């Protein structure tokens, strides 16, 4: 026999209370702090808060975009799968074009990864969208290149790729851009944290 909590709501309550007790959220505006709590919840690391980087209006911009029906454009299926549809305020479309049959050929032609190439299949949905990049640094770099070259601007970029090659640099490039953004500086990141951030932004929508 094991003694453990069986009540899902109580697990969540204790979890969020623990995060608020242990994480130093004092340097964050309240709306970003709410999102950071869910990001920490997704990875179990309260020190994540020190690496959270953001533009001041990113939560508001993301929320407004979702309220007005903007799609959530994701680099990987894992990110798309993690977005809780019932939290989205306007039956928003959640898009991941990675597994589109055209993507592998496009990647070969472009000489890049599939995640980066797949963004070209987002089409005009990029305009005013919430972009969620949780896996692929190449996708984040390429998004910045696309916008620099005149592609429509997303309303907010949740750019939290993880890893060792390009992750740090792509997030620094995002932070240096003029886009509304939320990121985690350093190697940490990933699909779960990214989806949690989208879910938090969506949940605060009214
Ligand atoms: C270099 C890549 C990295 N992938 C990482 C971590 C994870 N990736 C998983 C999975 C299942 C997928 N990763 C792909 C996106 C695949 N990963 C890459 C690429 C080779 C290049 C991306 C880049 O460097 O920017 C990328 C393929 C591509 O051509 O774009 C994936 C599509 C590969 C595949 O299975 O076909 C796939 C995504 C599937 C989906 O959700 O749609 C992991 C689960 C690892 C595993 O399977 O063992 C894991 C998930 C991490 C997460 O939280 O998302 C890194 C570490 C991010 C790495 C990039 C950086 C580095 O340092 O290498």
């Amino acid at each position: 026999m094991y003694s453990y909590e069986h009540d899902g709501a109580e697990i969540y309550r204790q979890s969020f209370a623990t995060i608020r007790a242990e994480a130093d959220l004092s340097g964050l505006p309240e709306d970003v702090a709410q999102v950071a709590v869910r990001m920490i919840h997704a990875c179990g690391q309260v020190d994540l808060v020190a690496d959270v980087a953001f533009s001041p209006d990113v939560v508001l911009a993301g929320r407004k975009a979702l309220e007005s029906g903007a799609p959530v454009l994701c680099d990987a299926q894992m990110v798309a799968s993690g977005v809780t549809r019932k939290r989205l305020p306007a039956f928003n479309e959640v898009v991941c074009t990675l597994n589109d049959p055209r993507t592998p050929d496009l990647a070969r032609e472009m000489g890049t990864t599939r995640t980066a190439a797949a963004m070209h299949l987002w089409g005009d949905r990029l305009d005013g969208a919430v972009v969620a990049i949780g896996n692929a640094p190449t996708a984040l770099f390429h998004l910045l290149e696309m916008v620099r070259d005149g592609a429509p601007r997303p309303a907010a970029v949740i750019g939290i790729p993880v890893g060792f090659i390009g992750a740090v640099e792509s997030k620094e490039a995002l932070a240096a851009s003029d886009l509304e953004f939320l990121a985690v500086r350093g190697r940490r990141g990933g699909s779960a944290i990214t989806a949690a951030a989208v879910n938090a932004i969506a949940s605060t929508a009214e």
Side-chain angles (χ1 to χ4, degrees):
M1 285 294 287
Y2 299 99
S3 169
Y4 61 95
E5 182 57 64
H6 290 71
D7 179 346
E10 179 56 17
I11 291 168
Y12 263 58
R13 194 198 62 72
Q14 288 182 25
S15 226
F16 290 123
T18 304
I19 293 166
R20 289 212 172 255
E22 295 185 9
D24 180 5
L25 300 163
S26 60
L28 301 179
E30 183 48 35
D31 61 350
V32 177
Q34 275 183 30
V35 177
V37 165
R38 288 202 79 97
M39 291 161 69
I40 291 167
H41 187 238
C43 69
Q45 297 169 340
V46 293
D47 68 329
L48 191 82
V49 68
D51 294 333
V52 172
F54 56 93
S55 57
D57 292 331
V58 64
V59 175
L60 189 60
R63 188 185 305 165
K64 275 190 176 164
L66 292 176
E67 282 170 352
S68 66
V72 183
L73 306 180
C74 307
D75 65 332
Q77 201 54 50
M78 287 183 292
V79 177
S81 298
V83 174
T84 309
R85 302 317 195 256
K86 69 177 183 222
R87 288 182 189 278
L88 297 173
F91 302 102
N92 309 68
E93 196 184 4
V94 180
V95 177
C96 176
T97 47
L98 180 60
N99 293 326
D100 186 290
R102 294 167 291 178
T103 297
D105 284 344
L106 199 54
R108 268 188 292 276
E109 278 164 31
M110 292 172 62
T112 190
T113 63
R114 283 175 293 132
T115 34
M119 295 193 301
H120 285 268
L121 302 175
W122 289 349
D124 57 12
R125 289 179 286 203
L126 184 56
D127 196 4
V130 172
V131 175
I133 295 179
N135 181 303
T138 54
L140 183 51
F141 272 129
H142 194 54
L143 174 72
L144 296 173
E145 290 168 348
M146 286 167 65
V147 171
R148 179 202 62 198
D149 294 344
R153 290 170 64 85
V157 179
I158 315 307
I160 316 180
V162 60
F164 301 89
I165 309 300
V168 173
E169 297 83 354
S170 62
K171 290 181 284 191
E172 290 302 329
L174 173 63
S177 78
D178 64 351
L179 294 167
E180 294 290 352
F181 79 97
L182 177 68
V184 173
R185 291 189 194 275
R187 290 172 168 176
R188 289 189 288 188
S191 298
I193 298 177
T194 305
V198 173
N199 290 337
I201 291 171
S203 309
T204 47
E206 289 171 2

